[in-house]
């Protein structure tokens, strides 16, 4: 069987706040210090209702999972607390729920272990989680010194795993957190714990951490060709650390839009992709890299890399990301190639993107579920 | 002034490329300026920031003890002013007189001052001085070459930011009552990072017109005169 036959499609929604005032176009950054006076709670209410309905549609159409993320001080997402959104979705859905995810550095790790365990039990074992370090921007918004980010992150993971996999009460003595009675109720229903991933931006440290802990791995904001090399290295490191390499260990992100013709699909999709990269992601390098947030090797890499936060052209976007707009056949072909070359069965699918109106989301989501997924699951390996 | 007098100097947020003009004037008076060596601020590779503030203070105490200079007068500027104040509060027997030049350690949330780390690294120096960036700071780490200079600057920023993030307030206000030695506080009225009004939180002091955050470089004559008077009196 090909990877495409078995591919799982997890429907990713950013829950963006749109309808920004016209002068947003003049702002250097729409993260960190872009004033929340530009947020209209009534408009936000309408958007929450709409986005939840789009997630429910994806669930009813048979997508394998629903994916939420977390960011702070930004119009990029209205999900600073995605566990709340997940809790709202659980009783209305049957697919898996991925919280990709709350940075452990911004919550007490025992509390995060408890929240995820709650969601796992409430959903009957449908939870997947990712542990992000958090973007550099998040450290300007939260009361955590970025110089401690990586050490604190590792320790948080240790606390969470101890909560999930060992019977309490346990004690834990770390550099950042100390517990005399680590004994959280509930524990997760999935054993030994919910499937867990780490999302990185290509740094070897993050990839190594995922491999060491046996977590799944995903990478964003580096060219697809580089991602494939990192994935191969990650699989080698998984084996090195004694973990099994399964087809769902790597998650790839795909931006896709389906319409009647290739031309119509690109015409309908492109403005929202451009909005996503030029507006929603717009920030400055200095917010991306607060002092100490990245290691010195990663700092060296970043100062010579292209800035993907706020400046983009279509061709470079196509090079860095997996973006396809077209007929069901074209989209299915592209995705089949991507999952085969990445040797993965797990796809985070981005259809609802940027300032895309509801009718486009509904149209493309429906066409993807009814026309693309069946094509992929009935085909053999497609030559690259 | 006896020729064997010495004082300890603790540098500011931009590190210690060389002795400032104000302290050179004191050297000319016969003072020995003792500067402890602390990893990170020198931009050398291999530096890992301590996890916690107490760990940082331990690093500084070890470095200070290694100089063998204490007890003696201590002059602290900017970030170093915060460390000097902590030393005088926590180890009062080690500080015979305290001189603070626009010290961090106490800040006000309603007047947080300029966020130095929210501007590109090459532009940061210009916000530390009111009268132009001295050459030694403009070319800080330039000797390391085009590729290594940004890395050295990043390491130095990690060292200072790990102590000062996000507001530079480490609760020193709760401890300054323990400072027993004579104290001088000096501020520049053009300080962008720490508003001059903060001087009142330290019990008041001298404000120098036209000087920025690193005032010993902006106003060397005025700062040297104030330091000289304070040191000679105590």
């Amino acid at each position: 069987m090909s990877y495409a036959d078995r591919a799982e499609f997890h429907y990713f929604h950013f829950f963006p706040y749109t309808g920004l005032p016209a002068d947003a176009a003049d702002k250097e950054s729409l993260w960190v210090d872009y004033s929340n006076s530009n947020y209209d709670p009534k408009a936000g209410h309408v958007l929450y209702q709409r986005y939840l309905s789009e997630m429910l549609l994806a669930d009813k159409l048979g997508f394998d999972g629903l994916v939420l993320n977390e960011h702070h001080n930004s119009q990029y997402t209205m999900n600073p607390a995605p566990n709340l959104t997940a809790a709202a979705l659980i009783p209305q859905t049957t697919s898996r729920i991925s919280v990709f995810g709350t940075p452990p550095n911004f919550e007490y790790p025992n509390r995060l272990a408890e929240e995820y365990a709650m969601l796992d039990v409430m959903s009957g074992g449908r939870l997947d989680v990712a542990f992000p370090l958090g973007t550099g921007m998040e450290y300007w918004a939260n009361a955590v010194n970025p110089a401690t980010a990586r050490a604190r992150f590792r320790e948080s993971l240790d606390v969470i795993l101890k909560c999930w996999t060992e019977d309490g009460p346990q004690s834990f003595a770390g550099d950042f957190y100390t517990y005399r009675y680590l004994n959280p109720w509930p524990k997760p229903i999935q054993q030994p714990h919910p499937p867990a991933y780490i999302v990185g931006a290509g740094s070897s440290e993050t990839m190594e951490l995922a491999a060491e802990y046996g977590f799944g791995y995903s990478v964003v904001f580096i060219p697809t060709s580089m991602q494939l090399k990192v994935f191969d290295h990650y699989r080698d490191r998984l084996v090195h650390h004694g973990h099994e390499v399964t087809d769902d260990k790597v998650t790839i992100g795909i931006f896709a839009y389906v319409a009647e013709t290739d031309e119509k699909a690109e015409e309908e999709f492109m403005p929202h992709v451009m909005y996503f990269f030029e507006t929603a992601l717009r920030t400055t390098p200095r917010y991306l890299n607060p002092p100490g947030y990245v290691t010195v090797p990663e700092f060296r890499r970043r100062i010579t890399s292209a800035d993907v936060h706020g400046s983009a052209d279509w061709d470079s976007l196509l090079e860095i990301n997996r973006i396809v707009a077209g007929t069901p056949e074209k989209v299915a072909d592209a995705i089949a190639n991507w999952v085969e070359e990445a040797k993965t069965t797990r796809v985070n699918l981005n259809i609802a993107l940027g300032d895309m109106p509801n009718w486009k989301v509904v149209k493309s989501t429906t066409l993807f579920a009814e026309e693309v997924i069946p094509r992929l699951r009935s085909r053999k390996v497609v030559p690259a | 002034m006896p020729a064997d007098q010495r004082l300890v100097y603790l540098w500011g947020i931009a590190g210690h490329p060389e002795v400032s003009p104000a302290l050179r004037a004191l050297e000319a008076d016969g003072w020995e300026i003792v500067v402890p060596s602390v990893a990170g601020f020198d931009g050398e590779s291999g530096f890992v920031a301590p996890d916690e503030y107490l760990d940082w203070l331990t690093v500084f105490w070890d470095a200070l003890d290694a100089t063998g200079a204490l007890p003696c007068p201590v002059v602290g500027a900017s970030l170093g002013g915060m460390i000097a104040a902590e030393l005088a509060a926590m180890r009062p027997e080690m500080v015979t007189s305290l001189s603070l030049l626009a010290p961090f350690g106490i800040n006000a949330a309603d007047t947080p001052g300029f966020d130095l780390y929210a501007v590109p690294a090459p532009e940061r120096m210009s916000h530390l001085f009111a009268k132009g960036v001295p050459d030694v700071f403009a070319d800080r780490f330039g000797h390391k070459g085009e590729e290594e200079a940004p890395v050295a600057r990043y390491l130095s920023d990690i060292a200072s930011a790990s102590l000062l993030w996000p507001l530079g307030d480490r609760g020193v206000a709760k401890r300054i009552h323990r400072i027993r030695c004579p104290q001088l506080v000096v501020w520049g009225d053009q300080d962008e990072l720490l508003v001059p009004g903060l001087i009142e939180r330290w019990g008041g002091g001298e404000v120098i017109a036209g000087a920025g955050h690193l005032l010993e470089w902006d106003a060397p004559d005025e700062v040297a005169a104030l330091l000289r008077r304070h040191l000679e009196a105590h």
Side-chain angles (χ1 to χ4, degrees), chain A residues 139-140 142 144-148 151-152 175-176 286-287 289-296 299-300 303, chain B residues 45 49-52 115 117-120 124 147-148 150-151 154-155 157-158 161-165 170:
Chain A
Y139 287 82
W140 301 85
N142 288 276
V144 173
N145 192 321
T148 64
R152 186 185 293 270
D175 293 328
F176 302 95
R286 58 182 181 273
Y287 284 157
N289 295 315
Y293 167 69
V294 295
T295 59
V296 169
F299 177 79
R300 288 181 193 277
I303 58 177
Chain B
S45 61
D51 294 333
E52 301 289 345
D115 187 354
Y117 299 112
V119 295
R124 288 176 190 155
E147 284 188 10
E148 292 304 312
V151 176
Y154 181 64
L155 285 165
D157 283 345
I158 291 173
S162 64
L163 275 160
L164 300 177
W165 187 280
R170 286 293 197 166

